[in-house]
Amino acid sequence: MSILVYTENWDGKFKKLSFELVSYAAAIAKEMGLDLTALSIGNVADDELNKLGNYGASKILKVENDKFNSLDNKALSKAVVAAAENVGAKIVVFAHNNLGKALAPRVSVKLNAGLVSGVTELPSSTSPFVVKKKVFTGKAFANVKVDAENVVLTFAQNSYEIVETGGSAAVEAFDPQVGDADFSTVVNETNKITGKVLLNDAEIVVSGGRGMKSGDNWGGLEELADLLNAGMACSRPVSDEGWRSHDEHVGQTGKIIAPNLYFAFGISGAIQHLGGVSSSKVIVAINKDPEAPIFEAADYGIVGDVFKVIPQLIEGVKEM
Amino acid sequence: MKILVLISNVPDTTTKIRFTGDNTAFDAAGVQWIINPWDELALTRAMELKEAGGVEKITVANVGEKITEATLRKALAVGADDAIRIDAPAKDAFFVASQLSKIAGDYDLILAGIEASDYNGNAVGGMLAELLDYNSVSAVSGINMDGDKFVINREIDGGSQVLSVTGPLVAIVQKGIAKEPRIPAMRGIMMARKKPLNVVEAVDAHEKTSFVNFELPPPKAACKMVDEENAKELITLLHEEAKVL
Ligand SMILES: Cc1cc2nc3c(=O)[nH]c(=O)nc-3n(C[C@H](O)[C@H](O)[C@H](O)COP(=O)(O)OP(=O)(O)OC[C@H]3O[C@@H](n4cnc5c(N)ncnc54)[C@H](O)[C@@H]3O)c2cc1C
Ligand SMILES: Nc1ncnc2c1ncn2[C@@H]1O[C@H](COP(=O)(O)O)[C@@H](O)[C@H]1O
């Protein structure tokens, strides 16, 4: 018996997220006395796959079949189910990202499993299986009990420490036997965001709101983000106005992020905005209005003009 | 072509979240109920597709008790042609998807939201697709029809894609699917009263998860303030005290 963790790759490489995910799954496996198998679909070199051993995977099933590149949800979930059955998985763990959210519900039905999405901690009990997840868009947590044979989890990034075990994993080629009839997605076009720190991966995020006044004033924030290797984000009105692109919009109706450090420049802190960022470890607010609700959510704050503060912060970072 | 839009009935997004009964249940006292924001956008897009031609009918469906009818009426007022309420408490995502699978078979396109804003399940759309053995596309930010195909924009981790997929299909939608949700007009509200809202009995299904209890995040310590004239100090604090730089 085993735990299966689905590890996505980006052009043949894993990300920090993958290692965090494997570390998390490995901790559950250890607690329950199960083996951890990682499933990798795509063309990933063996030395890259082997890295997963260092985070606690003892076996890796690798599926190399270009047909899966279309990310067809039906076909991919069949492949995950085949792998889970192959290793007798009681628990399947995905990342709580676009692909994980797409596959986990399908896989849970097939495996007769209870699904808990967006889990933030190790299970508080494994028999019965009870685990904590975010609810009400980060405004609360729920402890969820699974009453089913098996468990499927999606794990919220940035909520578990990466643990290097020094272990290694055996790589095994695996054919999930998914037939052509299961593929119906045809990709016409793929646009990758390049040259930017992706918001969902960023450990530091620099974000601006309507207090930035127009789309022409973002040079300072971009410079700060560059220096900090941070992702850029914005409030909804900013993307609605076209000052910044839509993929930077965070909040209840945008992206939900949980970086280590979130800077809010000229953002009032509306409840729908906080819904997307309140799980950040440290929140810093810069706002000229001392009454702005963002200060209630923030750990550090400056009451002041963003345009006076930004250059000083840039200078401070350069001196660091 | 027939479209089914799944509607989750959720507390207004500004609701102060409280729990009762020793934190075992959400405190619904005084709560304003709304259509889940993603479902509202899904319905808006379904209306746009119907106006562009080729859509016979838009049905909205909810698994819930009588109290959710006000929300379904609102969806009818926005423009859905008819509504189905499956009469059962929404016990968990698998229970809800199992109920929906009994009425969803007649539709070419099923629209679900990426998550309900209450329990953030991220589950019902994908589960329903699996139960129906349909394909699904998630994180959908645009949908158009091209003959018997759907042309779909979706977000992937690290970018976006344009796809063609044949139906029947469950599309799980998010930001971008429609610009602004449609607000019911007076005429819509009047017409909604006459539109059919069919109540269907629930089938046997077992839930697989349940809530043990809820927790509110620990109260934040007071925000530490730094002087505007001395903003560099903030960087020092983030580096030395918070250790996040
Ligand atoms: C259903 C629903 C969903 C929503 N989803 C989202 C969402 O996902 N994300 C989101 O962000 N919003 C969302 N909103 C909108 C949200 O309610 C707020 O309107 C929005 O977050 C406000 O953006 P803001 O803080 O940039 O602008 P404002 O509220 O206008 O705040 C601007 C702030 O900048 C400050 N300021 C102005 N000039 C300066 C200066 N020179 N220096 C320093 N400070 C300055 C002001 O004091 C003010 O506090 C949603 C709303 C609804 C109803
Ligand atoms: N009780 C319900 N009745 C009908 N549709 C629902 C119900 N609950 C969730 N859905 C649909 O499933 C989507 C995702 O919800 P969830 O999986 O609960 O996060 C929602 O946006 C709705 O489209």
Side-chain angles (χ1 to χ4, degrees), chain A residues 117, chain B residues 5-9 36 38-39 42 61-64 88-90 93 96 100 111-125 172-173:
Chain A
S117 61
Chain B
V5 183
L6 306 183
I7 302 284
S8 175
N9 176 57
N36 185 42
W38 304 124
D39 303 342
N62 169 262
V63 179
V96 167
L100 292 167
L111 298 176
I114 190 134
E115 67 171 29
S117 64
D118 49 7
Y119 301 115
N120 308 150
N122 292 281
V124 170
I172 300 163
V173 310

Side-chain angles (χ1 to χ4, degrees), chain A residues 55-102:
Chain A
Y55 302 93
S58 55
K59 178 157 120 181
I60 293 158
L61 294 182
K62 92 172 158 178
V63 177
E64 286 184 311
N65 179 343
D66 288 344
K67 277 200 300 197
F68 289 109
N69 292 350
S70 67
L71 303 180
D72 183 286
N73 286 351
K74 191 173 167 186
L76 268 179
S77 47
K78 280 209 167 158
V80 178
V81 169
E85 283 169 350
N86 181 273
V87 297
K90 299 287 299 166
I91 300 179
V92 180
V93 188
F94 293 91
H96 190 62
N97 60 7
N98 287 321
L99 192 58
K101 288 184 212 175

Side-chain angles (χ1 to χ4, degrees), chain A residues 210 213 235-236 249-253 268 272-273 287 306:
Chain A
R210 202 139 54 181
K213 297 287 189 294
S235 68
R236 184 163 102 171
H249 159 197
V250 292
Q252 179 163 332
T253 48
S268 59
Q272 296 92 353
H273 184 83
N287 195 304
V306 288

Side-chain angles (χ1 to χ4, degrees), chain A residues 218-234:
Chain A
W218 293 71
L221 287 191
E222 279 176 349
E223 186 180 352
L224 184 62
D226 255 2
L227 287 168
L228 295 171
N229 194 29
M232 287 290 287
C234 66

Side-chain angles (χ1 to χ4, degrees), chain A residues 208-213 234-238 240 243 249-255 262 265-276 286-294 302-308, chain B residues 13-14 34 37-38 40 175 181 228:
Chain A
R210 202 139 54 181
M212 295 303 293
K213 297 287 189 294
C234 66
S235 68
R236 184 163 102 171
V238 166
D240 285 350
W243 298 354
H249 159 197
V250 292
Q252 179 163 332
T253 48
K255 287 201 170 71
Y262 181 75
F265 289 92
I267 293 175
S268 59
I271 193 154
Q272 296 92 353
H273 184 83
L274 294 177
I286 293 89
N287 195 304
K288 67 176 185 194
D289 173 8
E291 303 296 325
I294 188 79
I302 297 177
V303 175
D305 185 338
V306 288
F307 300 108
K308 278 199 200 143
Chain B
T13 54
T14 57
I34 59 165
W38 304 124
E40 200 179 19
K175 178 180 160 65
E228 180 188 19

